[in-house]
Amino acid sequence: MAEPLAADLLVVGKITGCYGVKGWVKIHSYTEPQENFLGFGQWLLRRRGAVEPIEFDDGRAQGKGLVAHIAGVDDRTLAESYRGLEVAVPADSLPDLEAGDYYWSQLQGLQVWCSDQSPEAGDQRVLLGAVDYLIETGANDVLVVKPTEGSIDDRERLIPYLPGDVVTRVDLAEAVIEVNWFLED
């Protein structure tokens, strides 16, 4: 029986289609590098708002993506029923990061503040909004900041995630990111 989706689960990939005729599926991994997806060992399938265990008993890089075999699934028709489903893992199964490094999921929802350095403001902090999600651009990641209650305006902002340059402070305990960003007129 499937249990409700827990808040302490992180989506790490998505099954995008079938590979061959013996129960293999194509996986779009959200991990970096993508092969880290195969190392978790305790996967959960997200289906209709609930989770259920899934086991991949074999997997490998294939072309620009990953392929994996679902244990107990040995034909293409059954494998096809998994297309489009998300794969999650318990958040506590992720390895600890070094100081100053963060998982994207840790940044989502944080308030984004910057200093209003206009002469009339006197260097006060202003709320730009909250991180809705991040975009990987190749050059650097980008914070998508959407307005929230109390934000300076109703604008969505795309702010480069450049620690030490644009991003001056991340405080998970306070749920705050401070940025060196200009306020548009």
Side-chain angles (χ1 to χ4, degrees):
M1 178 177 211
E3 57 189 81
L5 185 62
D8 60 348
L9 296 179
L10 294 175
V11 176
V12 293
K14 185 174 186 174
I15 298 173
T16 59
C18 293
Y19 180 77
V21 295
K22 295 185 178 182
W24 285 71
V25 292
K26 296 177 187 176
I27 305 280
H28 177 76
S29 173
Y30 301 145
T31 65
E32 182 64 40
Q34 71 176 356
E35 291 81 8
N36 283 356
F37 176 94
L38 299 170
F40 286 112
Q42 182 184 359
W43 300 276
L44 299 161
L45 196 61
R46 187 169 160 181
R47 188 191 312 251
R48 293 184 213 101
V51 294
E52 59 191 68
I54 186 171
E55 181 183 347
F56 297 105
D57 55 10
D58 199 3
R60 66 178 183 272
Q62 180 69 37
K64 293 184 179 181
L66 297 176
V67 295
H69 181 262
I70 301 171
V73 175
D74 294 317
D75 68 79
R76 185 178 181 91
T77 303
L78 187 53
E80 185 64 37
S81 69
Y82 290 86
R83 179 190 297 267
L85 299 179
E86 293 179 317
V87 180
V89 297
D92 61 8
S93 69
L94 297 175
D96 292 334
L97 296 175
E98 295 195 21
D101 289 340
Y102 305 95
Y103 288 110
W104 281 15
S105 61
Q106 293 176 299
L107 302 177
Q108 291 173 322
L110 298 186
Q111 290 186 332
V112 179
W113 291 82
C114 78
S115 294
D116 182 351
Q117 298 176 354
S118 63
E120 59 274 2
D123 199 28
Q124 294 179 348
R125 285 184 354 148
V126 294
L127 178 62
L128 299 179
V131 177
D132 189 43
Y133 60 96
L134 288 91
I135 301 171
E136 184 177 7
T137 66
N140 56 268
D141 298 330
V142 175
L143 302 168
V144 178
V145 179
K146 296 211 173 176
T148 61
E149 185 176 326
S151 59
I152 190 168
D153 56 28
D154 291 333
R155 296 183 59 188
E156 177 180 282
R157 290 179 169 81
L158 302 178
I159 300 176
Y161 184 75
L162 297 170
D165 185 18
V166 175
V167 175
T168 57
R169 182 170 85 98
V170 175
D171 190 321
L172 297 179
E174 288 182 30
V176 165
I177 297 176
E178 291 180 0
V179 296
N180 183 10
W181 195 247
F182 60 93
L183 296 175
E184 301 85 3
D185 295 328

